[in-house]
Amino acid sequence: MNPERKTPERRSRKARRTRDSLAQAAFELVLDRGLRNVTVEEIAEHADVDRRTFSRYFTSKEAAVLDPLRGDGDRINDALRARPADEPPLTAYRRAVLDWLEDPEAQAWHRRPRIFDLLVVAEEEPTLYAAFHHIRVDAQEDSVAIVAERLGVDPRLDIRPAVTVAAGAGALLAAQAAWVRGGQPDALPRLVGQAFDALCGELLTQRPAGPAPHSTTEGNAPS
């Protein structure tokens, strides 16, 4: 090892450990006690650092507790880059998501302890949900760039990459919401498959069954 690089690398490892320690402390405290019952000072104390150190790594307790989810968008995007170049964009996005779900080393949400519980809390806490939305947006911006590169287009001039990612990410978000509200921690892969099936097939070809029973259109209005 180059002696000149040894100290920066050591500092980098230490910084990573500190960040992980803070994120783990936030994760455990919030899931055990609830977001509103945990302060930044308590997270820092639990990680054996001071408040100033916390602020070097995170802007809020919401950002800290959600840090374990930040890498999942990167994992999906890595899988998207690796998909065959001749796959249609939406198919490539779908299979990238499935690759992430099926890879034991990637530890997708249904394989990781208490991530289901974290997403339940995120559905209930507006500030946590908003912070999670920002994480998703960051990942989707990278996805748009990857799809644009696959298509050989400029995403500022061609809308197709943004439409592809919005559709695919929307299917994943719908599956996530159904997963959390359904209370079945092992059901995520099945729900993701159903969401993409609906997006790519049923919603494009299936005719509506007719107005819902509560419709107030003229034909169903009471006389």
Side-chain angles (χ1 to χ4, degrees):
M1 178 181 293
N2 186 338
E4 295 180 357
R5 295 184 58 191
K6 188 172 183 179
T7 298
E9 288 178 358
R10 190 174 291 162
R11 287 175 182 165
S12 177
R13 290 195 298 270
K14 182 179 179 181
R16 182 71 253 181
R17 287 196 298 270
T18 301
R19 182 186 182 94
D20 289 346
S21 179
L22 284 164
Q24 185 64 29
F27 183 83
E28 292 174 357
L29 288 172
V30 167
L31 290 185
D32 289 344
R33 292 162 45 186
L35 181 69
R36 301 178 192 185
N37 299 319
V38 175
T39 67
V40 167
E41 288 77 12
E42 288 172 326
I43 294 170
E45 182 180 356
H46 197 75
D48 200 23
V49 299
D50 57 26
R51 167 65 190 260
R52 184 179 300 177
T53 299
F54 178 95
S55 299
R56 285 207 299 267
Y57 293 94
F58 298 109
T59 58
S60 67
K61 61 184 178 181
E62 288 85 356
V65 74
L66 289 171
D67 198 58
L69 301 181
R70 186 169 290 279
D72 292 308
D74 295 335
R75 295 181 185 97
I76 292 172
N77 283 330
D78 287 344
L80 180 58
R81 289 187 187 93
R83 296 305 309 170
D86 60 349
E87 280 185 344
L90 188 54
T91 299
Y93 191 95
R94 172 182 182 157
R95 290 179 178 166
V97 172
L98 294 178
D99 287 345
W100 166 66
L101 288 169
E102 294 168 0
D103 183 358
E105 295 184 4
Q107 284 197 312
W109 295 336
H110 63 298
R111 297 178 185 273
R112 213 177 312 163
R114 302 197 77 183
I115 292 297
F116 178 85
D117 298 331
L118 175 59
L119 292 174
V120 169
V121 175
E123 286 278 330
E124 298 170 347
E125 291 288 351
T127 58
L128 202 57
Y129 189 85
F132 188 32
H133 172 73
H134 285 297
I135 292 174
R136 290 197 302 264
V137 168
D138 289 344
Q140 288 169 31
E141 287 178 354
D142 291 340
S143 299
V144 169
I146 296 168
V147 172
E149 184 176 356
R150 291 173 62 90
L151 292 174
V153 301
D154 184 340
R156 296 169 298 180
L157 304 175
D158 192 315
I159 200 172
R160 289 177 297 167
V163 171
T164 298
V165 173
L172 178 57
L173 179 59
Q176 173 211 313
W179 179 53
V180 168
R181 293 165 189 168
Q184 296 180 324
D186 295 331
L188 183 60
R190 173 177 58 80
L191 292 168
V192 169
Q194 289 177 354
F196 275 98
D197 284 346
L199 175 64
C200 298
E202 293 176 7
L203 296 180
L204 296 175
T205 60
Q206 185 174 348
R207 292 175 177 241
H214 62 277
S215 174
T216 56
T217 57
E218 182 179 352
N220 293 313
S223 56

